[in-house]
Amino acid sequence: MDNTTICALATPAGGAIGVVRVSGPNAISITDQIFRPAGVKSLAEVKANTVHYGEIIDGDDQIIDDVLVCVFRSPHSYTGEDSTEISCHGSRYVLSQVLKRLIDCGCRQAGPGEYTRRAYLNGKMDLSQAEAVADLVAATNRASHQLAISQLKGHFSSELCKLREQLLKMTSLLELELDFSDHEDLEFADRSQLKALAQKIDDKITLLARSFETGNALKQGIPVAIIGKTNVGKSTLLNQLLHEDKAIVSDIDGTTRDVIEDTTEINGLTFRFIDTAGLRKTDDRIEKLGIERTYKKISEAAIVLWMVDQQPSAQEITEIQSKASGKSLIIVRNKIDKDDSSIEVPSNIPVISLSAKQGTHISELQEKLYTTADIPEINENSVIVTSARHYDALMAGKESIERVLQGLKDNLSGDLLSEDLRICLDQLGEITGGQITPNEVLNNIFKHFCIGK
């Protein structure tokens, strides 16, 4: 634990207000050196969780800015340390001068995520909650915001805590047997009860792990591939969905030769649209590469929009159904402003008729995309895995508990069962940081945070 006092800008420069955060054992005394309060002698004598008006002064006792300073005392602060927050005008010059004065008086510039890292190390939150802080800062839609809030409130940690308590109970009973190993007929842990409990834990871990697909989609955006022949209007549709001219639109076949991706929000969910190269036979080597990438993006997508402007052949329908197997396929009948005749397709494939050029019925397609995504209602109490690190740990824990189940079936000895239970406990503990976490793991987690958080 680095016990130096740190400072950093917590808001973007250039706004109306800027906030500088100071945290560490000397946070209040260092702030006192550059702050001339109105109404009190110094910040050292003020109560915790109070706000004070005054002036930030330079080394020559000249005023830099009128400010408000919030004072927090350990352990009742975000980091668990003595802390201050200086609210001043958002001028880049003013903020740089405030930071310079703090550093001159003994502060060190904070690194990315260092405030949240200190909060974790000081026991203000566990590791999964610390990661939720970064998710909350990066949230781009209602669903990802609610998931971050849920994790920050500790709902995910609570579920893991229940699992660990059950695992500890099983491990304790088995290890108690080992202490009396000279009494072969003595059995503290009823094997049928252990099997039922292990199965319950396995089912819960499986449920959490399965939620990662939903959580990742909510966090990264639900991938939607727009496919079809050349010049059917794929790029025009992409531009309509994104509300900007992202893709080049032309009557010339093969204009789109590479994959174009961007995201937009529909009813609180983020969708990641992928405009692909037109499907056709071609001798152009570059265009062929684009078509190969189209087929790759179909495999990566959750939803496939197949655009047509006329009746597709039975062979085309069969081919696209095969390529989009396991995906949600929607046929988009485009150019109804020129030809509004209906098309014949299998009844299990939904069809949305629209004019991408005129923007007709785009809202119907958006609504269809939202319902097809079939995302469960998300609120601040939802427990859904959004981190690949958490998913990997859950899967490793699942392997261990399944070895326990197999071991119970094969009547293995308690020491072997206990070892696998310990491994499962360690894997779940890695998620919350319930055990000593390697420094490189912490560095990898917090390096993606913004400075000031």
Side-chain angles (χ1 to χ4, degrees), residues 80-112:
E81 305 171 320
D82 284 350
S83 302
T84 63
E85 291 186 358
I86 305 170
S87 299
C88 51
H89 292 95
S91 157
R92 294 180 184 275
Y93 175 76
V94 167
L95 292 170
S96 66
Q97 289 302 301
V98 173
L99 286 169
K100 181 178 182 300
R101 288 287 290 135
L102 288 168
I103 292 170
D104 288 344
C105 291
C107 279
R108 170 177 63 78
Q109 175 73 41

Side-chain angles (χ1 to χ4, degrees), residues 43-58:
L43 296 177
E45 66 183 37
V46 305
K47 294 181 179 180
N49 307 320
T50 54
V51 182
H52 304 275
Y53 171 75
E55 301 164 340
I56 296 293
I57 55 176
D58 63 16

Side-chain angles (χ1 to χ4, degrees), residues 59-341:
D60 298 321
D61 210 30
Q62 299 297 308
I63 298 173
I64 294 175
D65 195 13
D66 291 344
V67 302
L68 292 174
V69 175
C70 300
V71 177
F72 307 96
R73 297 188 185 277
S74 173
H76 305 296
S77 70
Y78 179 75
T79 60
E81 305 171 320
D82 284 350
S83 302
T84 63
E85 291 186 358
I86 305 170
S87 299
C88 51
H89 292 95
S91 157
R92 294 180 184 275
Y93 175 76
V94 167
L95 292 170
S96 66
Q97 289 302 301
V98 173
L99 286 169
K100 181 178 182 300
R101 288 287 290 135
L102 288 168
I103 292 170
D104 288 344
C105 291
C107 279
R108 170 177 63 78
Q109 175 73 41
E114 192 164 358
Y115 292 92
T116 305
R117 181 170 181 158
R118 290 189 176 202
Y120 161 66
L121 293 173
N122 286 323
K124 301 296 290 185
M125 59 181 70
D126 66 33
L127 199 53
S128 70
Q129 289 174 300
E131 290 171 286
V133 173
D135 289 344
L136 187 59
V137 172
T140 57
N141 58 58
R142 184 179 68 245
S144 58
H145 168 264
Q146 292 289 351
L147 287 178
I149 289 291
S150 172
Q151 191 168 318
L152 188 59
K153 284 180 174 289
H155 296 307
F156 181 41
S157 301
S158 178
E159 292 291 329
L160 294 177
C161 184
K162 293 175 186 176
L163 290 177
R164 296 195 78 201
E165 286 177 358
Q166 294 170 333
L167 285 165
L168 280 170
K169 180 181 177 181
M170 292 175 65
T171 306
S172 299
L173 289 173
L174 286 170
E175 292 185 350
L176 189 60
E177 286 183 6
L178 298 179
D179 292 337
F180 294 87
S181 57
D182 51 331
H183 299 275
E184 294 182 2
D185 59 335
L186 204 59
E187 188 177 86
F188 290 93
D190 182 274
R191 294 304 192 262
S192 61
Q193 291 182 359
L194 284 182
K195 182 179 180 181
L197 186 54
Q199 187 61 60
K200 183 180 177 182
I201 293 171
D202 183 43
D203 291 343
K204 186 61 179 180
I205 292 177
T206 300
L207 185 64
L208 288 171
R210 283 177 179 171
S211 73
F212 176 65
E213 185 175 348
T214 297
N216 191 51
L218 291 174
K219 193 173 178 180
Q220 306 295 334
I222 300 164
V224 181
I226 306 174
I227 68 169
K229 293 180 178 180
T230 58
N231 208 25
V232 294
K234 298 186 299 298
S235 297
T236 304
L237 178 62
L238 177 70
N239 292 342
Q240 284 283 0
L241 291 167
L242 299 179
H243 308 291
E244 64 171 300
D245 292 335
K246 182 74 175 182
I248 297 173
V249 176
S250 170
D251 292 334
I252 302 172
D253 288 345
T255 302
T256 303
R257 296 187 172 205
D258 203 351
V259 172
I260 300 173
E261 295 188 32
D262 210 338
T263 60
T264 192
E265 186 177 322
I266 299 174
N267 295 345
L269 293 181
T270 297
F271 287 81
R272 178 160 48 88
F273 291 102
I274 310 160
D275 183 20
T276 61
L279 301 175
R280 67 166 182 165
K281 292 182 179 180
T282 178
D283 294 326
D284 189 298
R285 187 163 58 91
I286 302 300
E287 192 175 350
K288 281 183 177 179
L289 288 174
I291 294 171
E292 288 176 9
R293 292 186 181 183
T294 295
Y295 289 123
K296 182 180 179 182
K297 289 300 177 181
I298 291 176
S299 67
E300 296 173 0
I303 302 174
V304 177
L305 297 183
W306 178 24
M307 287 198 75
V308 300
D309 56 6
Q310 57 185 345
Q311 174 65 48
S313 68
Q315 181 182 348
E316 288 173 328
I317 294 173
T318 301
E319 182 180 354
I320 294 299
Q321 281 184 304
S322 175
K323 294 289 184 182
S325 178
K327 317 293 179 181
S328 295
L329 177 62
I330 301 172
I331 294 180
V332 179
R333 166 72 163 95
N334 192 25
K335 302 183 181 180
I336 61 170
D337 53 315
K338 296 181 178 179
D339 178 10
D340 61 356
S341 60

